[in-house]
Amino acid sequence: MYILGIESSCDETAVAVLRADESGYFPLSDAIHSQIPLHRLYGGVVPEIAGRAHTEAISGLTASALQSAGIDVSALGLVAVTSHPGLIGALLVGVNFAKSLAVSRGLPLVAVDHMKAHVAAASVASVFDPVPPPPYLALAVSGGHTSMYIVEDDVTFREIGATRDDAAGEAFDKVGRLLGFSYPAGAAFDRASAEAYARLCPEEPTVTGYIRRVRPHAALRLPAPVMGDGSLDFSFSGLKTAAVNLLHHAGQTGEAIDRDAFCAAFTAEVTEGICSRVRMALERHTLHGVVAAGGVSANSHLRERLRALCAETGLPFSAPPPALCGDNGLMVAAQGYREYRAGRLADSSLNASAADEP
Ligand code: KG4
Ligand code: ZN
């Protein structure tokens, strides 16, 4: 079956064609129009600009996704669209477009949860081990979410932990902005941290080496982004605020900040905090492995720590290739196929929702 996957929940308009059947997923095209240059000026996503930019891009992008896949619209068997969570004005563009296409071509339509789609990206293509059979732990880390789910089957996700305030990506972006990185700051943060690990602990130039050898004696202390109440929840606002205060204070006193070393310390707290809660989840539940997904799962240091943690516990670890960690249409098509197989078709009253649960 050929599936058209449509994504417009945030600042990426994405349309892809995926062929899926019992033997697997075969990506045929993956058209993405990033709005980042439009939002960069404001240091974050401006919802109204996002909605307008999706409206401008979506038709042309669909035509090019079909063309690159080498198929005509008549070959499609399913339309899948992200319906939640996200920016409501942005989501509505994709949902309305998908509904019109489905009704005009007489095609079945499925509504896709954006976070489930991120996790499905690992099944389209994965680095590290293949995606384990359910139940497995899914860690979804993006600009808007930091959540852990037990994936019970392809369409049933049970949330066992989530951030109580900011998401990990949001913390990277806000602190990165003060450090002079342009929006979104995650990838630049990743590179700067790598340089610092190489410089600060050349004998073991990784985040693990830094945590083992440098962090215990480091003058720079940042709080852990976790709740201390025994829950599996995260809290990134304390870490973000502490970092912002340190940078403001240095700015006021004229104290020079070693930017890469600052990134290294911040990244170490983020990865350590996330890994501590993944470890607790694996201790509390009997699971077949871990899948990391979402924009922040492209972080090389987080991947290294998660892979090491899984190796220690003897479980497989899987994650999408970096190109499929961010928002894309293939992940929506893949999750759409799963929803379709589970018989969860959307009807003509489908609406978008900004919330995690529609
Ligand atoms: O999943 P995504 O593309 O969009 C949302 O659904 O939010 O995630 C975007 C987030 C941004 O905050 C970006 O800074 C972050 O992913 N990100 C990274 C890296 N690449 C992207 N964060 C840390 N390290 C990276 N290498
Ligand atoms: Zn996303």
Side-chain angles (χ1 to χ4, degrees):
M1 169 186 265
Y2 292 110
I3 305 144
L4 190 76
I6 300 172
E7 159 62 38
S8 73
S9 67
C10 190
D11 57 358
E12 240 94 45
T13 324
V15 184
V17 178
L18 178 76
R19 185 162 68 79
D21 58 34
E22 294 308 319
S23 62
Y25 299 106
F26 308 93
L28 297 181
S29 68
D30 184 13
I32 299 185
H33 176 260
S34 173
Q35 306 175 2
I36 282 169
L38 291 178
H39 300 292
R40 200 161 255 165
L41 188 62
Y42 308 94
V45 181
V46 183
E48 186 181 324
I49 293 177
R52 289 171 185 272
H54 286 307
T55 304
E56 250 171 58
I58 202 158
S59 304
L61 217 52
T62 303
S64 52
L66 289 167
Q67 195 187 23
S68 330
I71 63 161
D72 184 75
V73 67
S74 58
L76 290 175
L78 180 66
V79 178
V81 63
T82 302
S83 63
H84 67 279
L87 302 170
I88 190 67
L91 286 161
L92 281 168
V93 176
V95 167
N96 242 323
F97 184 84
K99 286 175 74 167
S100 312
L101 186 64
V103 77
S104 62
R105 307 299 304 191
L107 287 167
L109 175 72
V110 284
V112 170
D113 176 311
H114 183 76
M115 301 318 289
K116 288 182 183 172
H118 268 304
V119 176
S123 299
V124 174
S126 56
V127 288
F128 311 110
D129 290 327
V131 171
Y136 62 82
L137 184 75
L139 167 72
V141 259
S142 70
H145 286 77
T146 305
S147 304
M148 290 195 296
Y149 309 91
I150 292 180
V151 179
E152 292 172 348
D153 60 47
D154 281 350
V155 293
T156 315
F157 285 42
R158 183 157 57 89
E159 190 179 272
I160 55 166
T163 183
R164 299 214 184 153
D165 38 61
D166 297 343
E170 198 177 342
F172 275 123
D173 293 339
K174 294 259 164 67
V175 174
R177 190 180 177 189
L178 288 182
L179 290 168
F181 298 130
S182 58
Y183 172 83
F189 227 108
D190 193 337
R191 286 191 295 273
S193 305
E195 301 215 343
Y197 297 140
R199 173 162 54 87
L200 299 171
C201 43
E203 51 302 322
E204 195 184 359
T206 61
V207 63
T208 309
Y210 176 89
I211 289 170
R212 215 187 334 245
R213 296 160 187 261
V214 179
R215 185 170 172 253
H217 327 286
L220 180 57
R221 300 239 168 241
L222 292 167
V226 294
M227 297 301 298
D229 59 1
S231 77
L232 297 174
D233 288 343
F234 302 98
S235 167
F236 285 89
S237 76
L239 172 62
K240 183 191 75 180
T241 308
V244 167
N245 288 344
L246 265 160
L247 293 171
H248 277 154
H249 183 259
Q252 277 160 2
T253 58
E255 183 197 334
I257 288 276
D258 178 337
R259 182 166 88 168
D260 291 359
F262 194 89
C263 289
F266 191 89
T267 300
E269 292 310 327
V270 171
T271 57
E272 187 65 358
I274 291 176
C275 286
S276 74
R277 290 320 180 248
V278 168
R279 186 187 292 275
M280 271 166 62
L282 295 177
E283 281 163 7
R284 289 180 191 181
H285 302 274
T286 305
L287 298 164
H288 293 149
V290 177
V291 174
V296 180
S297 75
N299 188 276
S300 59
H301 314 291
L302 179 60
R303 287 176 172 230
E304 175 200 318
R305 302 280 296 152
L306 288 169
R307 196 182 51 208
L309 168 59
C310 287
E312 223 177 273
T313 48
L315 292 172
F317 169 60
S318 187
L324 288 184
C325 287
D327 295 346
N328 63 84
L330 286 171
M331 68 184 200
V332 180
Q335 186 58 29
Y337 180 63
R338 293 173 166 187
E339 301 289 335
Y340 174 80
R341 278 201 316 185
R344 307 200 329 176
L345 291 183
D347 66 27
S348 60
S349 66
L350 176 65
N351 207 337
S353 164
D356 285 357
E357 295 295 332

